[in-house]
Amino acid sequence: MYFQLRKFGIVRPHRLQRNFSNKQKAKLFTPQEVSLSFEEGVRLFVGFSLSSHPVFSKKSQELITHLQSFLYSYEKVKWTEPRNLHCTLKFFEQFPISKLHDLELICEEAASLVSPFNISFKAIDVFPSWKKPRVLYLCVDEGKEQVKKLAKTIHTKSELQNNFALLNAKNHKGQKRVSVRFEHTPHVTLARWSEMYVPSFANDVIKDFSNMLPHDFPDVEVTELTIFRSELFPTGPVYTSLKSFPLRVNQPV
């Protein structure tokens, strides 16, 4: 079980040094660290694609080409193909196929809470810091509150559903242990660095990034959210749309 947990990235290495009782696990493990189902799963994410917007696709390709020429001296940069540009709301590394219908219901409910909206982009930034960047991305400006609302709804409901057996677990003070933590920065990934080749940008290079996003970079209208399957190949990831859910605020009958 230890190696299976490690493979899926579910627990921290030091947490399974010995056997724990169910009561001890409820105290030690958070919901994000425990999976109650080890059936074979697939890589999924919920989000919305940006590749269907021709103006955005054209401008983003021009931006990526410009960034590639600027960062040509930095090794091991994996650039996002324009056809794969998207905004992720929730990622599942190993999602049980048997629970796909449950996820569809969650997405349908989330989509009913938000009307179609526009997103704009204000800057280029990195995760986690400019000194040790791993991800280069576009910051969402207008529309970020709607993106956060969708992401939080999907995250909260899916985490609680996948960890229902821990909902009544108590800590040593008799308080409920489970709480769904949520952090989300609305963004669109442009590139990633391999962990072994993380660059460290100088201050003058960081300043250059602030001027790289064109003033006429287009807004994008978001009208639906989608469940995508993500498959990894040597040539790059392939995203397949499984089901989409139109955004609409349900009107009272």
Side-chain angles (χ1 to χ4, degrees), residues 53-79:
H53 301 269
V55 178
F56 176 85
S57 295
K58 182 176 182 294
K59 288 291 185 179
S60 60
Q61 177 62 74
E62 294 173 356
L63 176 62
I64 289 175
T65 300
H66 179 57
L67 290 169
Q68 285 175 330
S69 63
F70 182 74
L71 297 173
Y72 73 93
S73 62
Y74 293 92
E75 295 183 273
K76 302 297 181 181
V77 184
K78 295 182 179 179
W79 295 94

Side-chain angles (χ1 to χ4, degrees), residues 216-233:
D216 62 343
F217 202 77
D219 297 353
V220 175
E221 183 182 16
V222 180
T223 60
E224 63 183 16
L225 59 87
T226 302
I227 300 176
F228 292 93
R229 179 174 182 176
S230 173
E231 298 176 274
L232 301 180
F233 296 97

Side-chain angles (χ1 to χ4, degrees), residues 102-114 149-150 153-154 157 225 245-250:
D102 296 333
L103 179 60
E104 291 175 352
L105 294 178
I106 291 173
C107 291
E108 185 175 13
E109 180 180 350
S112 71
L113 302 177
V114 176
K149 183 175 182 178
L150 289 169
T153 300
I154 296 169
K157 291 184 177 297
L225 59 87
F245 308 85
L247 301 183
R248 63 189 183 282
V249 174
N250 289 337

Side-chain angles (χ1 to χ4, degrees), residues 48 50 87 117-123 137-148 184-188:
F48 45 87
L50 303 174
C87 184
F117 60 96
N118 286 346
I119 59 173
S120 63
F121 305 93
K122 64 177 181 179
Y137 67 91
L138 285 173
C139 301
V140 174
D141 187 16
E142 178 188 353
K144 63 183 178 183
E145 294 306 319
Q146 291 95 321
V147 174
K148 286 182 178 181
H184 185 77
T185 301
H187 69 282
V188 176

Side-chain angles (χ1 to χ4, degrees), residues 166-185:
L166 293 179
L167 288 178
N168 294 318
K170 305 290 182 69
N171 63 16
H172 66 284
K173 294 183 180 180
Q175 300 168 331
K176 283 193 174 183
R177 173 68 180 176
V178 171
S179 62
V180 179
R181 297 170 296 182
F182 174 78
E183 291 183 13
H184 185 77
T185 301

